[in-house]
Amino acid sequence: MDFREYLKTNKPVLIAEGYLFEFIRRGRVKPASFVPEVVLDYPECVRALHQEFVDAGTDVVQAFTYYANREKMRDVGREGELEAINRKALQIAKEVARENNKLFAGGLCNSNLYDPNKPETIQECENMFTEQCQWAKEAGVDYMIAETFWDYGEASLALKVMKRFDFPTVVSICPASKKEVTFDGVPIPEALARLESEGADVVTLNCARGPKTMLPLIEKCRAVCKGPLGCLPICYRTDEKWHSFQAFKYIGSDQPCYPNDLKEYYVSLKEIEWFAAECKRIGLSYIGLCCGDDPTYMRALSKTFGKPCALDKYDHDGKNVMSRDYSEVSAEKEEPSRYAGLWDFCR
């Protein structure tokens, strides 16, 4: 499928991300290492989650290769399975994408190696990006995503490698800093504008911030980026106090709760609907959800944009949760059911 043509004719492109934290929630990824070992250990679970997101309305099936790079696989003692995990993730995603007529995306991500002052780390990152791009090219991806970069320089390096393989590209900066600069000191709107000028087909923000703290920043990016712009917030409620989810602490405590236990910070479906409406207003072309995403959030997003999906069948029809109207008189007993007052009792 031609990504560039699809982007022109199907705006906005909706994408479900957040596989990492959804598998942490399901107990199949370690919350400290963040390595997608589930691809090798439980591939059927990865395939099932891809299908759940397809049923919820995503336009894209992205291979779950986030942190499936040489550095991270080495950290968990599975470097020898590096090629296997990438090829398996790509195979699963491709099968689901092709079966459902969806875009098929490969992915690169930030490393914990990049240091602009150490040329050897830049070369090691370039080597890691190159081998993952080679496997993605052989798998026949429709486009490549390079995401969650703290450093503008590393994002630019990833873009350079992807362009070498002639991929359509989406490149994303992670806006974790409250100062709205990258780790290497570039203002985030400027970083996206630079990546756009370097040839990225779409530039985006993803991760770290929830809808309410990411949208004001994406508006600043809209003012300087002229081409397709995207936004993929986390599904956790960040605010002026907690500007990113890495800063979260248990409510009423000084104990950090990232990344193990974030349940008390989930956003509501109503906030996702509000986010979608704001994206429409700003004029974004590429919209998704990052960490914390699940099929219910994705469904709320796709529904706001009027995109039909398999889960339409199960939409709430506006009637009471109870399938029967207990306020009516029973035909058999000709008397009100005792459940007629149930909802008042619950309130």
Side-chain angles (χ1 to χ4, degrees):
M1 193 178 294
D2 188 319
F3 173 71
R4 293 186 178 109
E5 189 61 32
Y6 192 96
L7 186 64
K8 291 177 184 176
T9 58
N10 292 272
K11 291 182 181 179
V13 174
L14 300 185
I15 178 168
E17 294 200 14
Y19 289 88
L20 182 66
F21 273 77
E22 180 62 7
F23 277 121
I24 289 174
R25 189 183 70 82
R26 298 183 183 197
R28 297 189 187 276
V29 166
K30 296 174 186 175
S33 68
F34 300 131
V35 176
E37 296 175 83
V38 63
V39 171
L40 295 173
D41 300 340
Y42 299 97
E44 70 281 1
C45 296
V46 177
R47 181 183 176 88
L49 184 54
H50 281 315
Q51 189 63 54
E52 288 179 43
F53 279 132
V54 165
D55 291 346
T58 186
D59 294 319
V60 183
V61 180
Q62 180 184 359
F64 186 26
T65 55
Y66 187 88
Y67 273 169
N69 58 38
R70 188 169 295 279
E71 173 215 358
K72 296 297 290 184
M73 292 294 282
R74 185 186 305 134
D75 286 347
V76 296
R78 301 184 75 166
E79 186 179 359
E81 298 173 275
L82 172 66
E83 183 173 347
I85 194 172
N86 277 270
R87 290 195 184 278
K88 188 64 176 179
L90 288 159
Q91 175 198 337
I92 296 169
K94 183 176 185 177
E95 289 173 355
V96 176
R98 297 300 180 242
E99 289 167 10
N100 293 276
N101 196 31
K102 301 294 182 181
L103 289 161
F104 166 40
L108 305 176
C109 71
N110 60 303
S111 73
N112 294 313
L113 292 173
Y114 181 84
D115 185 335
N117 300 310
K118 296 181 178 179
E120 66 275 14
T121 68
I122 298 173
Q123 185 60 57
E124 188 169 357
C125 290
E126 183 171 352
N127 292 344
M128 291 196 304
F129 295 151
T130 299
E131 60 190 359
Q132 287 191 287
C133 281
Q134 183 61 49
W135 296 321
K137 189 73 172 181
E138 291 171 10
V141 299
D142 297 319
Y143 72 105
M144 283 292 284
I145 300 166
E147 62 184 336
T148 325
F149 288 100
W150 310 87
D151 287 282
Y152 154 74
E154 190 176 22
S156 180
L157 177 64
L159 176 59
K160 181 180 79 171
V161 174
M162 292 188 296
K163 285 171 65 67
R164 194 181 300 152
F165 284 84
D166 207 26
F167 290 123
T169 55
V170 174
V171 186
S172 189
I173 294 290
C174 177
S177 169
K178 197 170 187 177
K179 297 178 181 179
E180 299 185 349
V181 297
T182 63
F183 200 30
D184 49 0
V186 180
I188 286 174
E190 180 182 337
L192 291 194
R194 287 188 194 179
L195 292 165
E196 182 179 71
S197 70
E198 291 165 17
D201 290 281
V202 182
V203 291
T204 77
L205 300 181
N206 85 291
C207 205
R209 298 183 182 214
K212 288 187 177 177
T213 55
M214 187 176 278
L215 281 170
L217 179 55
I218 204 71
E219 291 212 65
K220 295 177 185 178
C221 298
R222 176 74 289 171
V224 297
C225 294
K226 307 308 178 187
L229 180 65
C231 186
L232 294 87
I234 59 173
C235 296
Y236 302 104
R237 189 175 291 109
T238 55
D239 54 28
E240 285 302 311
K241 182 178 182 181
W242 309 120
H243 67 280
S244 72
F245 73 153
Q246 288 90 346
F248 282 163
K249 295 181 179 179
Y250 289 104
I251 294 175
S253 166
D254 286 330
Q255 182 182 357
C257 61
Y258 173 91
N260 296 348
D261 189 2
L262 302 172
K263 291 183 182 296
E264 60 189 329
Y265 287 102
Y266 277 116
V267 299
S268 66
L269 296 176
K270 185 63 70 176
E271 187 166 336
I272 297 301
E273 293 169 1
W274 169 82
F275 162 71
E278 286 295 287
C279 289
K280 281 185 183 180
R281 178 185 63 79
I282 297 168
L284 302 184
S285 303
Y286 189 91
I287 301 166
L289 299 169
C290 196
C291 301
D293 189 18
D294 69 21
T296 58
Y297 285 132
M298 195 63 212
R299 178 64 193 114
L301 186 68
S302 64
K303 187 176 180 180
T304 305
F305 283 99
K307 293 203 172 188
C309 70
L311 298 187
D312 290 347
K313 175 181 177 181
Y314 306 105
D315 271 354
H316 180 41
D317 58 10
K319 297 179 181 178
N320 201 305
V321 178
M322 291 287 195
S323 59
R324 293 172 58 191
D325 184 355
Y326 288 105
S327 64
E328 294 180 355
V329 174
S330 166
E332 294 84 9
K333 298 183 179 180
E334 296 186 352
E335 62 184 21
S337 164
R338 66 184 293 266
Y339 287 97
L342 179 61
W343 298 117
D344 288 336
F345 170 76
C346 293
R347 295 186 186 102

